[in-house]
Amino acid sequence: MPRSEEIIPKIKRQQIMSMLAKGERLDGRRLDEYRPISIELGVVEKAEGSAMVRLGNTISIAGVKVELGKPYPDTPDEGAFIVNAEFLPLASPTFEPGPPDESAIEVARVVDRGIRSSGAIDLKKLCILPGEKVWVVYIDVYVLNHDGNMMDASGLATIAALLIAKMPKVAVKEGKVTILDEWVPLPVVNRPVPVTMAKIGEKIVVDPSLDEELVMDCRITVTIDESDRICAVQKGIGGSLTVDDVKYASKLAVEKAKEIRKALPPLPSIEDVEWIVKEGQ
Amino acid sequence: MSQLVRKVERPPRLIDEEGRRADGRKVDELRRIKIEVGVLKNADGSCYLEQGRNKIMAAVYGPRELHPRHLAMPDRAILRCRYHMVPFSVLERKSPAPTRREIELSKVIREALEPAIFLEYFPRTTIDVFIEVIQADGGTRCAGITAAAVALADAGIPMRDLVAAIAVGKVEGQLVLDPMDLEDRYGEADMPVAMMPSLGKITLLQADGLMTLEEFEKALELAMRGIKEIYNKQKEALREKYLAIKREVEVT
Amino acid sequence: MAVYFTQREIVVPGQLLAKGPYQLGSNVYKVGNAIYSSIIGLAELKDRAIHVIPLKCCYVPKVGDIVIGKVIDVGISHWTVDIASPYSAILQVSDAFNKVIDTTREDLTKYFDVGDFLVAKIIAFDRTRDPLLSTKEPKCGKIDRGTVVEISPAKIPRLIGKKGSMINMIKKEINCQILVGQNGRIWIYAENPEDELLLVRVIKRIELEAHTSGLTDRIREMIRREKSRRGNVVSASKKGRKAS
C-alpha cells in the first residue's frame, strides 16, 4: 500500500520536544507508559482464532486459519505458519489501496520472527505425514485505525488470536488423512510480546503515538518471550541508537512485556491433547 | 466470546413445516442488525455494522484532493469505492488480493451510492468509500452499502437520501428475506436490491438464479419491506450518536 | 402546508422536513413541493425558510475568510498550503509580503517552510481553480508559538457563540489569545502552558457537545473547577513562558 507522508506542524514538533525535555508527553503519559490496551477475543466466529487489539486509538485485528499443505523441503517434519499484515486504506488518510508496502511487510516479518524464534507454535505437532502433509497456519493482521505503533498492536493481536485458536483433529490410516469433527487448541507454548520504543532527541519513549512517530529519530522493537528472553529485535527508520540506548531499551522491553502479557489469555493447556490419531498401526 | 463456526452443513430442510428457517427466522424476517456510527477516529465518517454474522466496517474519506489530478472531473467529485474481504472472513481462507468478484462488487456498490450524493457540490475532488468485510455470512454487498451510506452521512457529506440495501432469496420454492450464506449456497435464486427509501428510487439491482415474473415482483415488494426496516435502523443509529451525548450532558 | 420536524430536531439526509411554499435555506433540497434535508444536522424554521445546521461538514473556501493553513510544499515562487479543505491553497510570493522578494536569489523556506502554520485570508476561489491566499492582511502571517487545535468547521459558530458569547467568556476566564480560522483550525496561546492544555480540552468539549443546550454555563463551570483544582495543587509552581 503506497503511503503519502504526513507532515507534522512545526509548532507541534517543538511542543513535543520541549515537553520531552521535561520528561513529559503530549498525551500526559510517562515516558515508559503504554496507552490503554484492550484485547477483544474471538471477534470472528468463522476464523479458527481472532482478536481485536486497541492500543489507544490504534486498532489491529488478527485472524487465524489452518489449512492442510505440504511442508517446506528443509523441515519435512514440521508444520508451517505464514504471517501477512496489511494497512487498510480505511485506517488512515495517508494509506492507499494496493498490495502491502515495505512498512506493512516489515510489521509482518517482525511479528513472524517473534513467533518463530520463541517457538510459540510447536510446529512438530502440526506434522501429519512427514514430507507430505502438514498443517499450515495462516495469520492475517489488518490495521483498522492508525494512531502510531502498529507493530505492537499487530503483534499482540497475532499472539492473542493464536492463543485462543482451535483446529480440527485428524486421523491417519494407511497414509490417508481424514479431518475429524473434533476441535483442539493450537499447540501454542510461548507468548512473545513486542515492545516498540521511539528515540526522540535524547529520550526514549515506549509505545509511540502517531505524533511521536512523526518526530522520532529512530525506532526499536524488542520482542520478549515468556522467560524474559529476547526473541526478535528490529531497529526501524533512519537514525541511530547508542549502545547505552539499546541496553536501556532491551531492559525496558523485558519489564514492559511482563506487564502487557497480563492482558493476554493464558497458554492453552495441551498436555493431554492429541492432534493426530494414528489408526491401524 | 462467541462459539466458533466450523462448517456450513445443509440441514435436511431449509424451511420447516412451520415456515421457520435454519436460524429460526420466518421467511420475511431480517437478521438482527446492530449499527455503530463514528467508530474509526481517523476517518471523516465511519460505521460498524453487524447483520446476523456479517460484520462490516465502512469508512469514508473526503471530499479530498485527488491524485493524480488528471482523474479529477471539472464539475463534480468522483466517488471511489473499495469492497474487500479479509482472508479470515470466510471458512476457507481467501487470498488477501482483490478477486474479480470483489472488483465487480466495488463497482456496483459505487453505482448504488453515487445517485445519493450531491457530487456536484465538490468539483475536482474525490470521495473515497472503503468497505471491509470482517466476517461474511451472505448478503455482504447489501450490508456494505447500508454501512457505507451511514458512514457517508456521518462524514457530513450532502446526500439526497441514505441508501439501504437487502437481498431476497428463493429457497425451496419460497421467497425469503435477507438470506444468510447457507440459504445463498443451497437456494435457487438471490436478488440484492438497494434504494433511496424516501425517494423510492432503486440504485442497485442484481439477481441470479431462476424466478418467475410473479416471483420477481413479489421479491421486489419483500425487499422494499426489508429496506424500510433497515432504513429506520440507519436513521436511528445516526441520531443516536448525537442524542447519547445530549442525554449525558443535559441530565447532569 | 406542513412542517414535519420540531425546532432544532436532529435530522438525517433524505428526511422529509416540510411540504408547501417554504423558502429553501441551507442544506435542504426540493422535490416537487417537498423539502428534504441533505445532511445530518439540526433542522430549523426561521422566517419561513427551512434550514439544516450541519453537525459535521467539510470546509469549502470562501473569499474573505480568515483560515489557518499548514505549508505542505515550497515551490519556486509560491507555497502550497493545506487549509483542512478538499482544496489545497496557493500563496504566491507577491501576496505574502509587502516587500519585493527576488525568488531567483532567495530560498523561500526561510520565510515559510514545510510544516509551518500560517494565518491567511482567502482572496480568490471559484469552482475552476484552487483558493489563493494572502498574508498581507492584519493578523496574518506565520504562527511560531502556542497550539493549533482542529475541529469540524461546522462547530465554529458554536465556539464563537451568539455575538461572541462563548469565546468572550473563555477569554475572560482564561488569560489567553485565541484566533479562530473559519476552516476549523483554532490558534491558542497562553502564558501558562497548563492553561493552553486546558484550552485544548475546552475546545474539544465544545466540539463534542455543540448540539446540546446550556453549554456556555457548563464550559464556564469546567474552567473554574479546573482552575481551582489546579490552584490548590500547584499554586507554588506558577510557570511563565517567554514569548518568542
Side-chain angles (χ1 to χ4, degrees):
Chain A
M1 260 145 262
R3 317 200 253 166
S4 52
E5 204 48 55
E6 208 155 317
I7 298 166
I8 184 145
K10 273 193 183 172
I11 52 169
K12 196 170 214 177
R13 176 187 293 271
Q14 286 158 13
Q15 198 178 11
I16 293 174
M17 305 298 279
S18 65
M19 286 183 79
L20 269 182
K22 291 186 283 178
E24 293 168 4
R25 293 166 85 173
L26 206 53
D27 52 14
R29 282 187 285 160
R30 293 188 320 270
L31 302 195
D32 64 352
E33 189 177 348
Y34 264 78
R35 290 168 289 180
I37 299 173
S38 89
I39 303 179
E40 216 179 314
L41 299 169
V43 286
V44 181
E45 296 96 328
K46 289 194 179 180
E48 276 79 307
S50 61
M52 192 182 308
V53 168
R54 288 186 167 79
L55 192 52
N57 283 325
T58 294
I59 310 176
S60 259
I61 183 169
V64 173
K65 298 280 316 162
V66 295
E67 280 175 16
L68 290 177
K70 259 185 124 39
Y72 293 114
D74 55 339
T75 50
D77 60 342
E78 287 186 2
F81 73 92
I82 294 161
V83 181
N84 167 60
E86 298 198 14
F87 303 162
L88 290 173
L90 56 55
S92 161
T94 62
F95 294 174
E96 282 167 30
D101 73 350
E102 56 178 33
S103 333
I105 289 172
E106 185 186 31
V107 166
R109 303 253 316 153
V110 175
V111 171
D112 181 298
R113 286 215 296 278
I115 308 279
R116 208 169 290 279
S117 318
S118 65
I121 306 174
D122 186 347
L123 295 172
K124 290 259 193 295
K125 297 229 158 54
L126 299 180
C127 174
I128 301 166
L129 291 170
E132 279 176 52
K133 203 145 254 178
V134 298
W135 282 114
V136 181
V137 180
Y138 286 93
I139 303 152
D140 290 284
V141 193
Y142 283 83
V143 175
L144 297 177
N145 197 70
H146 170 35
D147 193 29
N149 201 5
M150 296 188 282
M151 185 73 85
D152 293 0
S154 303
L156 282 174
T158 297
I159 190 68
L162 284 171
L163 283 166
I164 61 151
K166 293 277 199 302
M167 58 187 287
K169 255 187 185 183
V170 291
V172 181
K173 192 178 180 183
E174 289 156 6
K176 239 190 95 202
V177 178
T178 324
I179 299 179
L180 303 175
D181 192 17
E182 194 181 332
W183 292 67
V184 287
L186 231 65
V188 180
V189 295
N190 204 334
R191 295 181 297 170
V193 170
V195 176
T196 295
M197 291 150 280
K199 187 175 185 190
I200 306 172
E202 292 306 309
K203 304 277 185 184
I204 288 179
V205 300
V206 296
D207 179 30
S209 66
L210 182 56
D211 283 336
E212 288 167 340
E213 283 188 353
L214 291 173
V215 304
M216 70 185 167
D217 302 295
C218 193
R219 190 196 70 211
I220 181 169
T221 302
V222 183
T223 308
I224 305 291
D225 85 344
E226 202 86 33
S227 350
D228 295 347
R229 291 173 304 187
I230 294 171
C231 53
V233 179
Q234 181 89 340
K235 178 243 168 195
I237 74 162
S240 59
L241 299 162
T242 65
V243 173
D244 284 343
D245 287 339
V246 175
K247 284 183 182 162
Y248 172 75
S250 49
K251 273 203 200 84
L252 188 56
V254 171
E255 199 182 298
K256 289 286 127 183
K258 221 177 244 165
E259 200 178 296
I260 293 164
R261 200 171 289 110
K262 289 185 191 140
L264 285 171
L267 287 169
S269 60
I270 52 170
E271 264 167 46
D272 305 317
V273 175
E274 241 190 339
W275 285 270
I276 299 153
V277 190
K278 298 225 156 98
E279 289 172 13
Q281 281 180 357
Chain B
M1 214 170 103
S2 357
Q3 194 68 30
L4 287 189
V5 177
R6 279 130 190 192
K7 58 184 162 194
V8 182
E9 244 173 32
R10 193 190 203 288
R13 293 287 308 270
L14 289 169
I15 303 173
D16 70 13
E17 292 77 19
E18 281 141 40
R20 296 269 166 191
R21 294 151 73 177
D23 60 355
R25 279 186 292 156
K26 289 180 285 194
V27 288
D28 61 349
E29 196 176 328
L30 291 172
R31 284 175 280 186
R32 188 191 58 86
I33 293 178
K34 185 176 104 179
I35 304 179
E36 283 174 49
V37 181
V39 287
L40 299 177
K41 289 277 184 295
N42 284 344
D44 295 310
S46 59
C47 172
Y48 174 69
L49 177 141
E50 284 183 10
Q51 184 168 352
R53 286 212 164 96
N54 284 328
K55 298 185 178 186
I56 314 276
M57 190 71 89
V60 169
Y61 285 91
R64 60 179 174 178
E65 232 172 292
L66 178 57
H67 296 287
R69 284 209 170 198
H70 70 265
L71 295 175
M73 304 284 282
D75 55 346
R76 63 180 187 91
I78 65 163
L79 180 67
R80 295 189 295 188
C81 189
R82 184 178 108 125
Y83 163 98
H84 178 251
M85 292 169 75
V86 301
F88 48 83
S89 60
V90 279
L91 285 176
E92 287 268 315
R93 179 178 181 269
K94 179 206 149 284
S95 150
T99 58
R100 290 167 62 85
R101 174 183 173 273
E102 286 167 302
I103 292 166
E104 187 218 329
L105 292 196
S106 297
K107 176 178 184 287
V108 296
I109 291 172
R110 183 186 75 227
E111 291 161 348
L113 296 169
E114 231 166 20
I117 306 171
F118 284 101
L119 292 168
E120 59 272 32
Y121 289 4
F122 307 102
R124 300 181 289 118
T125 64
T126 176
I127 296 171
D128 294 326
V129 175
F130 301 111
I131 298 167
E132 287 296 333
V133 178
I134 307 291
Q135 180 160 272
D137 196 34
T140 53
R141 85 195 63 184
C142 291
I145 290 169
T146 301
V150 171
L152 281 162
D154 178 45
I157 288 171
M159 299 164 83
R160 290 176 180 84
D161 198 355
L162 300 173
V163 182
I166 198 68
V168 173
K170 188 174 140 190
V171 170
E172 293 173 351
Q174 287 194 61
L175 293 176
V176 296
L177 186 62
D178 191 15
M180 53 188 163
D181 184 42
L182 174 74
E183 294 167 323
D184 249 359
R185 212 175 278 214
Y186 301 108
E188 298 103 67
D190 177 35
M191 184 175 87
V193 185
M195 67 189 295
M196 296 190 277
S198 284
L199 307 174
K201 290 184 174 166
I202 291 172
T203 63
L204 172 135
L205 183 61
Q206 294 181 290
D208 59 32
L210 292 174
M211 277 185 284
T212 64
L213 191 59
E214 194 191 340
E215 280 172 337
F216 179 73
E217 277 179 20
K218 280 218 173 105
L220 257 183
E221 275 162 33
L222 187 56
M224 276 161 70
R225 274 184 20 220
I227 281 171
K228 195 173 268 177
E229 223 174 296
I230 289 175
Y231 187 47
N232 285 334
K233 299 255 183 199
Q234 287 176 305
K235 292 193 283 191
E236 207 177 288
L238 281 164
R239 291 193 193 107
E240 182 56 25
K241 173 178 170 184
Y242 294 98
L243 286 174
I245 298 168
K246 216 171 150 78
R247 272 197 306 271
E248 191 183 320
V249 299
E250 284 182 0
V251 167
T252 49
Chain C
M1 257 181 76
V3 170
Y4 301 102
F5 63 91
T6 56
Q7 205 67 315
R8 291 183 72 78
E9 180 183 324
I10 298 172
V11 297
V12 298
Q15 187 166 337
L16 178 64
L17 300 178
K19 276 185 180 165
Y22 293 100
Q23 285 180 10
L24 290 188
S26 47
N27 303 306
V28 297
Y29 73 99
K30 207 168 182 175
V31 179
N33 73 341
I35 297 172
Y36 296 92
S37 172
S38 66
I39 206 158
I40 180 158
L42 306 173
E44 238 180 33
L45 171 64
K46 214 163 125 192
D47 306 325
R48 303 201 52 74
I50 309 245
H51 299 268
V52 177
I53 304 158
L55 281 164
K56 216 167 171 186
C57 65
C58 72
Y59 174 66
V60 177
K62 231 171 55 229
V63 173
D65 276 0
I66 294 287
V67 296
I68 294 176
K70 184 174 77 180
V71 177
I72 53 171
D73 195 23
V74 183
I76 292 171
S77 60
H78 73 275
W79 293 270
T80 309
V81 184
D82 157 43
I83 52 166
S85 157
Y87 307 95
S88 296
I90 301 292
L91 173 62
Q92 300 283 359
V93 172
S94 53
D95 294 321
F97 302 101
N98 284 317
K99 62 174 179 177
V100 178
I101 292 170
D102 181 359
T103 53
T104 61
R105 283 164 192 280
E106 281 195 88
D107 178 6
L108 288 189
T109 57
K110 98 175 190 213
Y111 297 99
F112 300 124
D113 197 0
V114 171
D116 275 334
F117 272 128
L118 45 83
V119 180
K121 190 177 197 166
I122 294 181
I123 54 172
F125 175 65
D126 60 46
R127 288 172 65 86
T128 63
R129 59 176 177 178
D130 287 340
L132 293 181
L133 300 178
S134 164
T135 50
K136 286 179 179 172
E137 310 283 331
K139 283 192 181 169
C140 290
K142 182 149 107 185
I143 292 173
D144 51 13
R145 58 181 182 175
T147 303
V148 172
V149 193
E150 195 162 329
I151 66 172
S152 168
K155 309 293 171 73
I156 290 294
R158 193 66 199 88
L159 174 64
I160 293 168
K162 276 201 187 93
K163 292 184 183 140
S165 58
M166 179 71 88
I167 202 153
N168 289 336
M169 179 277 287
I170 296 172
K171 283 182 181 162
K172 215 175 102 196
E173 298 290 326
I174 304 177
N175 182 18
C176 65
Q177 294 174 54
I178 305 179
L179 191 144
V180 178
Q182 289 302 320
N183 59 337
R185 289 202 182 124
I186 302 130
W187 173 73
I188 52 179
Y189 176 74
E191 285 291 327
N192 181 346
E194 283 191 42
D195 280 344
E196 220 166 272
L197 292 175
L198 172 59
L199 265 170
V200 174
R201 282 169 45 214
V202 162
I203 292 169
K204 284 287 175 193
R205 180 159 177 198
I206 293 170
E207 180 187 30
L208 188 70
E209 299 178 13
H211 60 291
T212 63
S213 55
L215 184 56
T216 312
D217 292 338
R218 280 201 306 279
I219 294 292
R220 184 187 294 113
E221 200 186 312
M222 169 187 174
I223 297 173
R224 289 188 179 165
R225 200 171 48 231
E226 196 58 35
K227 287 208 137 189
S228 77
R229 190 191 60 83
R230 199 198 299 157
N232 294 338
V233 184
V234 284
S235 57
S237 66
K238 203 171 179 233
K239 296 172 214 150
R241 203 162 22 153
K242 238 190 251 162
S244 49

